[in-house]
Protein backbone atom coordinates (compact mmCIF):
# COMPACT_ATOMS: atom_id res chain seq x y z
CA UNK A 1 0.00 0.00 0.00
CA UNK A 2 2.98 2.32 0.41
CA UNK A 3 3.00 2.69 -3.38
CA UNK A 4 -0.28 4.61 -3.18
CA UNK A 5 0.25 6.48 0.08
CA UNK A 6 3.86 7.64 -0.06
CA UNK A 7 4.34 11.39 -0.75
CA UNK A 8 6.67 10.59 -3.64
CA UNK A 9 3.69 9.24 -5.58
CA UNK A 10 1.33 12.13 -4.87
CA UNK A 11 1.19 13.33 -8.53
CA UNK A 12 -0.06 9.93 -9.65
CA UNK A 13 -2.57 9.71 -6.83
CA UNK A 14 -3.96 13.06 -7.91
CA UNK A 15 -4.16 11.85 -11.51
CA UNK A 16 -6.10 8.76 -10.43
CA UNK A 17 -8.44 10.89 -8.30
CA UNK A 18 -9.09 13.15 -11.30
CA UNK A 19 -9.98 10.14 -13.44
CA UNK A 20 -12.56 9.02 -10.88
CA UNK A 21 -13.85 12.57 -10.40
CA UNK A 22 -14.25 13.19 -14.14
CA UNK A 23 -16.12 9.90 -14.55
CA UNK A 24 -18.51 10.83 -11.75
CA UNK A 25 -19.07 14.34 -13.13
CA UNK A 26 -19.73 13.02 -16.62
CA UNK A 27 -22.19 10.48 -15.25
CA UNK A 28 -23.98 13.19 -13.28
CA UNK A 29 -23.95 15.47 -16.30
CA UNK A 30 -25.65 12.82 -18.43
CA UNK A 31 -28.44 12.63 -15.85
CA UNK A 32 -29.08 16.39 -15.92
CA UNK A 33 -28.25 17.00 -19.60
CA UNK A 34 -25.22 19.17 -18.80
CA UNK A 35 -22.15 17.36 -20.07
CA UNK A 36 -18.76 18.58 -18.73
CA UNK A 37 -17.24 17.23 -21.94
CA UNK A 38 -19.21 19.76 -24.01
CA UNK A 39 -18.21 22.59 -21.70
CA UNK A 40 -14.54 21.69 -21.92
CA UNK A 41 -14.67 21.55 -25.72
CA UNK A 42 -16.31 24.95 -25.83
CA UNK A 43 -13.66 26.58 -23.64
CA UNK A 44 -10.75 25.36 -25.75
CA UNK A 45 -9.07 27.94 -28.00
CA UNK A 46 -9.69 27.86 -31.71
CA UNK A 47 -6.36 27.60 -33.50
CA UNK A 48 -5.56 28.72 -37.01
CA UNK A 49 -5.15 26.09 -39.68
CA UNK A 50 -1.39 26.57 -39.95
CA UNK A 51 -0.54 27.65 -36.42
CA UNK A 52 1.82 25.77 -34.14
CA UNK A 53 -1.01 25.35 -31.62
CA UNK A 54 -3.19 23.75 -34.27
CA UNK A 55 -0.42 21.28 -35.13
CA UNK A 56 0.05 20.31 -31.48
CA UNK A 57 -3.68 19.88 -30.90
CA UNK A 58 -3.98 17.88 -34.11
CA UNK A 59 -1.14 15.60 -32.99
CA UNK A 60 -3.15 14.94 -29.83
CA UNK A 61 -6.29 14.17 -31.91
CA UNK A 62 -8.21 17.21 -30.69
CA UNK A 63 -11.09 17.64 -33.11
CA UNK A 64 -11.31 13.89 -33.67
CA UNK A 65 -11.99 13.11 -30.02
CA UNK A 66 -13.82 14.96 -27.23
CA UNK A 67 -11.33 16.89 -25.10
CA UNK A 68 -12.43 15.01 -21.98
CA UNK A 69 -11.50 11.68 -23.58
CA UNK A 70 -8.06 13.09 -24.43
CA UNK A 71 -7.63 14.26 -20.83
CA UNK A 72 -8.63 10.83 -19.48
CA UNK A 73 -6.18 9.08 -21.80
CA UNK A 74 -3.39 11.40 -20.66
CA UNK A 75 -4.15 10.92 -16.96
CA UNK A 76 -4.34 7.14 -17.37
CA UNK A 77 -1.00 6.89 -19.18
CA UNK A 78 0.56 9.36 -16.76
CA UNK A 79 -0.57 7.50 -13.63
CA UNK A 80 0.24 3.98 -14.89
CA UNK A 81 3.70 4.93 -16.09
CA UNK A 82 4.40 6.91 -12.93
CA UNK A 83 3.51 4.07 -10.59
CA UNK A 84 5.49 1.62 -12.74
CA UNK A 85 8.51 3.93 -12.74
CA UNK A 86 8.41 4.19 -8.97
CA UNK A 87 8.18 0.41 -8.58
CA UNK A 88 11.22 -0.02 -10.80
CA UNK A 89 13.11 2.65 -8.88
CA UNK A 90 12.24 1.02 -5.55
CA UNK A 91 13.44 -2.35 -6.85
CA UNK A 92 16.72 -1.03 -8.29
CA UNK A 93 17.89 1.55 -5.76
CA UNK A 94 15.72 0.80 -2.74
CA UNK A 95 13.68 4.01 -2.69
CA UNK A 96 11.22 6.02 -4.76
CA UNK A 97 12.22 8.93 -6.96
CA UNK A 98 11.30 12.43 -5.72
CA UNK A 99 7.73 13.38 -6.61
CA UNK A 100 8.78 16.27 -8.88
CA UNK A 101 11.23 14.13 -10.85
CA UNK A 102 8.87 11.18 -11.28
CA UNK A 103 6.03 13.54 -12.14
CA UNK A 104 8.01 15.21 -14.91
CA UNK A 105 9.27 11.90 -16.25
CA UNK A 106 5.71 10.61 -16.61
CA UNK A 107 4.49 13.52 -18.76
CA UNK A 108 5.88 12.15 -22.07
CA UNK A 109 4.26 8.81 -21.29
CA UNK A 110 0.90 10.51 -20.84
CA UNK A 111 1.25 12.36 -24.14
CA UNK A 112 2.35 9.18 -25.91
CA UNK A 113 -0.70 7.38 -24.56
CA UNK A 114 -2.94 10.08 -26.02
CA UNK A 115 -1.19 9.86 -29.37
CA UNK A 116 -1.21 6.05 -29.55
CA UNK A 117 -4.58 5.16 -28.03
CA UNK A 118 -6.32 8.30 -29.28
CA UNK A 119 -6.12 7.08 -32.87
CA UNK A 120 -7.66 3.75 -31.84
CA UNK A 121 -10.47 5.39 -29.88
CA UNK A 122 -11.12 7.81 -32.74
CA UNK A 123 -11.73 4.81 -35.01
CA UNK A 124 -14.12 3.29 -32.48
CA UNK A 125 -16.20 6.48 -32.32
CA UNK A 126 -15.51 7.97 -35.77
CA UNK A 127 -17.13 11.21 -36.85
CA UNK A 128 -19.18 11.35 -33.68
CA UNK A 129 -17.63 13.84 -31.35
CA UNK A 130 -18.05 17.18 -29.64
CA UNK A 131 -15.59 19.85 -30.73
CA UNK A 132 -15.22 23.57 -30.34
CA UNK A 133 -13.56 23.87 -33.76
CA UNK A 134 -15.65 26.13 -36.03
CA UNK A 135 -18.51 26.02 -33.52
CA UNK A 136 -20.09 29.15 -35.04
CA UNK A 137 -20.51 27.37 -38.37
CA UNK A 138 -23.20 25.19 -36.80
CA UNK A 139 -25.54 28.18 -36.57
CA UNK A 140 -28.34 27.96 -39.10
CA UNK A 141 -28.23 24.17 -39.14
CA UNK A 142 -30.88 21.70 -37.97
CA UNK A 143 -30.29 19.86 -34.68
CA UNK A 144 -32.29 17.05 -33.09
CA UNK A 145 -32.86 16.70 -29.35
CA UNK A 146 -31.96 13.20 -28.17
CA UNK A 147 -31.71 13.48 -24.37
CA UNK A 148 -33.64 15.60 -21.90
CA UNK A 149 -36.27 18.30 -22.20
CA UNK A 150 -35.11 21.80 -23.07
CA UNK A 151 -36.59 24.98 -21.65
CA UNK A 152 -34.95 28.28 -20.81
CA UNK A 153 -32.61 27.66 -17.90
CA UNK A 154 -32.51 23.90 -18.54
CA UNK A 155 -30.53 22.59 -21.50
CA UNK A 156 -31.07 19.33 -23.36
CA UNK A 157 -28.58 17.38 -25.43
CA UNK A 158 -28.88 17.53 -29.20
CA UNK A 159 -26.91 16.37 -32.20
CA UNK A 160 -26.22 18.25 -35.40
CA UNK A 161 -24.30 17.40 -38.57
CA UNK A 162 -21.86 19.95 -39.97
CA UNK A 163 -21.12 20.68 -43.60
CA UNK A 164 -18.49 17.92 -43.65
CA UNK A 165 -20.91 15.30 -42.37
CA UNK A 166 -19.44 15.13 -38.87
CA UNK A 167 -21.86 14.75 -36.00
CA UNK A 168 -21.53 17.17 -33.06
CA UNK A 169 -23.18 16.85 -29.66
CA UNK A 170 -24.20 20.08 -27.99
CA UNK A 171 -26.43 21.64 -25.37
CA UNK A 172 -29.51 23.55 -26.52
CA UNK A 173 -32.09 25.82 -24.92
CA UNK A 174 -35.10 27.56 -26.50
CA UNK A 175 -34.43 31.08 -27.72
CA UNK A 176 -38.04 31.95 -26.88
CA UNK A 177 -39.11 31.81 -23.24
CA UNK A 178 -42.44 30.05 -23.88
CA UNK A 179 -41.03 27.16 -25.91
CA UNK A 180 -40.22 23.66 -24.60
CA UNK A 181 -38.35 21.10 -26.71
CA UNK A 182 -39.05 17.41 -26.14
CA UNK A 183 -36.86 14.52 -27.24
CA UNK A 184 -37.01 14.13 -31.01
CA UNK A 185 -37.69 17.82 -31.63
CA UNK A 186 -36.01 19.32 -34.70
CA UNK A 187 -34.50 22.72 -34.03
CA UNK A 188 -32.90 25.54 -35.95
CA UNK A 189 -29.76 26.80 -34.21
CA UNK A 190 -29.89 30.59 -34.18
CA UNK A 191 -27.16 31.77 -31.81
CA UNK A 192 -24.55 30.63 -29.32
CA UNK A 193 -24.26 31.89 -25.76
CA UNK A 194 -21.29 30.44 -23.88
CA UNK A 195 -21.54 26.66 -23.99
CA UNK A 196 -25.25 26.76 -24.89
CA UNK A 197 -26.82 26.98 -28.34
CA UNK A 198 -30.09 28.86 -28.56
CA UNK A 199 -32.63 27.42 -30.96
CA UNK A 200 -36.14 27.74 -32.34
CA UNK A 201 -38.36 25.03 -33.76
CA UNK A 202 -37.44 24.08 -37.29
CA UNK A 203 -39.62 26.42 -39.39
CA UNK A 204 -39.31 24.05 -42.35
CA UNK A 205 -39.93 20.50 -41.03
CA UNK A 206 -39.18 19.02 -44.41
CA UNK A 207 -35.69 20.52 -44.48
CA UNK A 208 -32.93 17.94 -44.26
CA UNK A 209 -29.28 18.93 -44.09
CA UNK A 210 -26.52 16.56 -45.11
Amino acid sequence: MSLFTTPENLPFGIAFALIVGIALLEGLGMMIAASPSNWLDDWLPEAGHDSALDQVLGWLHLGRLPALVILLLFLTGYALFGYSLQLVSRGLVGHYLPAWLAGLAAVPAGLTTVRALGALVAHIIPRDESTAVSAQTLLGRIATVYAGQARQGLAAQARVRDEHGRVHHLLVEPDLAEEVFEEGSELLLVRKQGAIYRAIRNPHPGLVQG
Side-chain angles (χ1 to χ4, degrees):
M1 289 299 297
S2 65
L3 177 67
F4 303 103
T5 58
T6 182
E8 287 85 348
N9 291 334
L10 180 61
F12 315 119
I14 292 174
F16 181 76
L18 287 173
I19 292 171
V20 175
I22 289 170
L24 292 175
L25 283 175
E26 187 68 13
L28 178 62
M30 291 178 64
M31 295 175 61
I32 63 175
S35 172
S37 180
N38 289 336
W39 294 341
L40 181 59
D41 284 331
D42 188 73
W43 290 335
L44 287 172
E46 294 187 19
H49 294 296
D50 299 318
S51 69
L53 176 61
D54 188 64
Q55 294 176 15
V56 172
L57 296 181
W59 188 83
L60 294 173
H61 304 294
L62 189 67
R64 299 181 63 202
L65 286 173
L68 204 61
V69 172
I70 294 174
L71 178 59
L72 287 172
L73 288 174
F74 172 81
L75 292 173
T76 300
Y78 180 82
L80 290 178
F81 179 85
Y83 281 127
S84 299
L85 176 64
Q86 293 290 51
L87 284 174
V88 171
S89 176
R90 178 74 178 268
L92 292 178
V93 299
H95 59 80
Y96 297 124
L97 295 173
W100 68 269
L101 180 59
L104 286 177
V107 170
L111 295 175
T112 301
T113 301
V114 173
R115 177 62 181 173
L117 295 185
L120 177 61
V121 175
H123 281 89
I124 295 175
I125 50 173
R127 308 175 76 86
D128 189 32
E129 69 244 13
S130 298
T131 174
V133 176
S134 301
Q136 294 295 327
T137 65
L138 299 178
L139 299 181
R141 303 194 69 82
I142 303 301
T144 303
V145 177
Y146 70 88
Q149 182 187 75
R151 58 172 59 91
Q152 283 202 347
L154 179 64
Q157 295 191 30
R159 61 171 61 92
V160 61
R161 193 177 297 273
D162 66 18
E163 66 271 25
H164 303 294
R166 294 178 299 182
V167 175
H168 299 255
H169 297 275
L170 42 85
L171 297 174
V172 295
E173 288 184 13
D175 195 46
L176 303 176
E178 67 274 10
E179 285 200 299
V180 176
F181 302 143
E182 307 285 348
E183 290 187 19
S185 298
E186 290 189 349
L187 316 173
L188 178 65
L189 303 177
V190 295
R191 62 191 179 97
K192 190 169 185 290
Q193 186 174 8
I196 306 296
Y197 283 83
R198 302 289 179 176
I200 61 174
R201 277 189 199 282
N202 182 8
H204 306 290
L207 178 62
V208 177
Q209 291 177 327

